[in-house]
Amino acid sequence: MALFGGKKNKKADADAAMNDKAQKMGTAEDKAVEAQEVKEQETVQEDKAQEDAAKKAEQKNAKRRTVEQIAAEAIANATEIPNPRKKQEQEQAEVKKYEPKVNPGMLGFALYKDVVFDVEEIIKRLKDEVGIEDVQVDEREKMVSLIIKVDGDTFACSHMAMPVPRNEAVRQLQFNFVEPETATDVKEHKAFIVLSRINDSVLIRKKACNSFSKIATVLMGLDNAAAMFLPGLNYIISPVRYRAFLPQMMDAQKNGGNFFPILLWENIGLYPDKDGVSGCTQGLNDFGLFEFCLYNTKRDPKNMYMILMQMSVKYLVEEFPFKNGDVIRLDEKHEAVLKEQNNILYIIELN
């Protein structure tokens, strides 16, 4: 009986081992099937992601084609855009009687509250504030001038013990936004210094502009300074505003930066239009570049000013080659096309 019972137990153990092996095989097969299903699911997800990406790319390309078509239509329709500045230019032409013999972009009138012309103080300030030392005093026919040489350019500062002829500076106040105190000082100014570059050149250079601005900044630092008047731009700037750029200019000179005081060389005006307002730059032509005009828009004036200023910096300082037909982004939602006409790049909004 004992022998028979032992055989029975051995058979039971063998059956149990077989069952355990079968269960393990079943588990492995289940895991393999499960892994295959996961892999197939991942493949389906990858295919769907690729399909979605392809659809988005197609939609983006379709949208780009639409924008380009709209831009082409906008350029075609804008065959002759009226210049928003034309009326003001005509009014300023009637006011403006002084026609300089040098490039108007490199001519400035530093206005003063009295006739004092302290040569020694100016020479000292040129050295101490902007590091200019090559200065000579020229006296002839009762007129005193300073001849200043810096970075290969020669500038003249000539003192005139009288107001700007024909009341030109005062009459240009109507085209400028200036502080009430500055306006009063301009109206009552008693003398002025003519600052000009006397090199022969058709176009002005940024390097020469920096030198001009440094000299003008010194002239605006005198106690009796009233304002800086730039007749080429019909632009009047208070002494405080003009001198505000001195730290950046000197820092760029010391550290080799690319700072350029564009606000001293470009005037931005806003002009009412038939359905909105247009904003135009004035000054880029002096550098051989197109002016910008944000044409017939309903944008906020501050936003218009920022767009024109940012584009001007990119164009003049960073030398980005804007040209006719370019589609540009104004903000996250709006694009525009550039239309060139009469040395102006009109910014025509598309949406």
Side-chain angles (χ1 to χ4, degrees):
M1 291 294 292
L3 181 63
F4 180 77
K7 287 182 179 180
K8 186 175 181 181
N9 289 337
K10 287 181 179 179
K11 186 176 183 304
D13 291 342
D15 290 342
M18 289 290 290
N19 289 334
D20 184 58
K21 184 177 182 180
Q23 288 177 357
K24 288 181 178 179
M25 289 179 63
T27 302
E29 290 176 357
D30 291 342
K31 287 183 177 179
V33 171
E34 184 178 345
Q36 181 64 28
E37 290 177 349
V38 171
K39 185 175 181 180
E40 290 176 355
Q41 191 173 23
E42 289 176 348
T43 301
V44 170
Q45 290 176 346
E46 290 177 359
D47 292 342
K48 187 174 185 305
Q50 292 177 357
E51 184 179 347
D52 291 342
K55 286 182 179 179
K56 288 181 180 179
E58 185 177 353
Q59 291 172 351
K60 186 176 181 180
N61 290 334
K63 183 179 179 182
R64 171 52 55 188
R65 286 194 296 271
T66 301
V67 170
E68 290 174 350
Q69 290 170 357
I70 294 173
E73 292 174 0
I75 290 178
N77 293 333
T79 53
E80 189 66 30
I81 305 175
N83 184 352
R85 292 191 63 247
K86 187 174 182 180
K87 181 180 179 181
Q88 179 170 320
E89 286 175 348
Q90 292 173 342
E91 293 174 351
Q92 288 175 327
E94 295 175 2
V95 170
K96 192 173 181 179
K97 303 298 183 181
Y98 180 87
E99 294 298 334
K101 295 182 180 179
V102 298
N103 189 316
M106 294 295 281
L107 178 73
F109 295 164
L111 311 183
Y112 292 95
K113 303 173 187 177
D114 54 46
V115 297
V116 175
F117 183 48
D118 193 332
V119 172
E120 292 183 0
E121 182 181 0
I122 294 174
I123 293 175
K124 184 178 185 301
R125 281 177 172 267
L126 285 170
K127 180 181 179 180
D128 295 345
E129 292 187 9
V130 296
I132 296 176
E133 298 186 42
D134 192 347
V135 184
Q136 297 179 353
V137 180
D138 181 63
E139 296 185 45
R140 62 181 71 180
E141 297 180 0
K142 297 182 181 180
M143 184 173 71
V144 180
S145 300
L146 296 178
I147 306 302
I148 304 168
K149 294 182 179 181
V150 53
D151 291 333
D153 285 294
T154 302
F155 299 87
C157 290
S158 303
H159 183 254
M160 304 289 179
M162 62 181 184
V164 175
R166 301 180 181 85
N167 219 25
E168 181 187 349
V170 176
R171 297 175 69 183
Q172 290 293 346
L173 279 171
Q174 62 184 304
F175 304 112
N176 283 267
F177 296 97
V178 297
E179 302 84 347
E181 182 181 351
T182 300
T184 299
D185 290 342
V186 170
K187 292 175 182 178
E188 298 177 356
H189 77 279
K190 302 295 190 294
F192 66 104
I193 293 176
V194 180
L195 171 60
S196 62
R197 186 180 68 157
I198 57 179
N199 305 58
D200 291 329
S201 178
V202 176
L203 296 177
I204 57 180
R205 299 177 294 113
K206 285 186 285 186
K207 187 176 181 180
C209 290
N210 273 321
S211 298
F212 182 101
S213 295
K214 289 173 186 175
I215 297 170
T217 296
V218 169
L219 297 179
M220 286 293 96
L222 301 176
D223 292 338
N224 58 340
M228 193 71 192
F229 172 42
L230 304 173
L233 298 176
N234 304 299
Y235 197 10
I236 297 174
I237 311 174
S238 72
V240 172
R241 285 177 56 203
Y242 203 101
R243 287 180 59 83
F245 298 97
L246 181 60
Q248 293 99 315
M249 286 191 288
M250 298 311 297
D251 182 69
Q253 177 178 302
K254 180 180 179 181
N255 300 312
N258 192 34
F259 177 77
F260 180 75
I262 192 169
L263 286 174
L264 304 181
W265 293 94
E266 177 183 79
N267 196 3
I268 295 178
L270 303 181
Y271 311 91
D273 248 317
K274 56 180 181 180
D275 298 318
V277 177
S278 289
C280 301
T281 65
Q282 184 182 2
L284 294 175
N285 281 169
D286 288 332
F287 295 88
L289 303 174
F290 294 117
E291 299 289 356
F292 286 120
C293 178
L294 184 55
Y295 180 66
N296 198 28
T297 180
K298 298 186 183 300
R299 288 178 174 270
D300 177 82
K302 290 184 179 179
N303 182 249
M304 293 173 63
Y305 183 90
M306 289 304 301
I307 288 174
L308 290 170
M309 183 51 61
Q310 289 169 359
M311 290 188 65
S312 297
V313 170
K314 194 173 185 67
Y315 193 30
L316 177 59
V317 182
E318 300 176 13
E319 299 182 355
F320 186 86
F322 288 111
K323 60 184 183 301
N324 183 56
D326 281 352
V327 177
I328 60 173
R329 181 164 291 282
L330 299 179
D331 52 45
E332 293 182 357
K333 297 182 179 180
H334 302 91
E335 291 181 304
V337 63
L338 301 182
K339 162 72 174 179
E340 187 274 322
Q341 180 180 296
N342 299 327
N343 289 328
I344 298 174
L345 281 175
Y346 288 90
I347 306 167
I348 305 172
E349 296 188 64
L350 301 177
N351 45 20

